[in-house]
Amino acid sequence: MTATRPSDDELSGMTVNERLFACGLLDAWDEAAMNRDRPQMIALLLQTAIERDQAERTTDAVLKNPTMYGF
């Protein structure tokens, strides 16, 4: 069985973590966050129907206080 990415409409009602999980990107996000890989974190968020400015703000919030987000 091949998983398909939810539609942008389906993703729009989800939290960031829910979007990452639904798109099969949660493990990659965790790895990028642990490595403090800002470009990769943003790239992953962009795959979940998050606009670039929000992806950058979300990434920067995590990188500013990683322990708050479990990293």
Side-chain angles (χ1 to χ4, degrees):
M1 171 166 42
T2 302
T4 59
R5 178 190 176 277
S7 70
D8 288 0
D9 285 341
E10 291 170 319
L11 291 169
S12 69
M14 297 182 188
T15 66
V16 171
N17 280 345
E18 289 170 336
R19 289 173 185 233
L20 289 164
F21 180 81
C23 292
L25 300 171
L26 191 56
D27 289 340
W29 166 263
D30 288 348
E31 182 178 342
M34 286 186 281
N35 290 326
R36 310 299 191 255
D37 187 344
R38 184 178 187 271
Q40 180 64 12
M41 292 168 74
I42 292 168
L44 290 166
L45 291 177
L46 292 175
Q47 294 179 53
T48 68
I50 292 177
E51 297 293 327
R52 177 166 289 281
D53 62 326
Q54 183 61 47
E56 291 173 356
R57 286 194 306 269
T58 299
T59 296
D60 291 343
V62 171
L63 293 176
K64 182 176 181 179
N65 192 356
T67 56
M68 180 176 164
Y69 297 95
F71 303 107

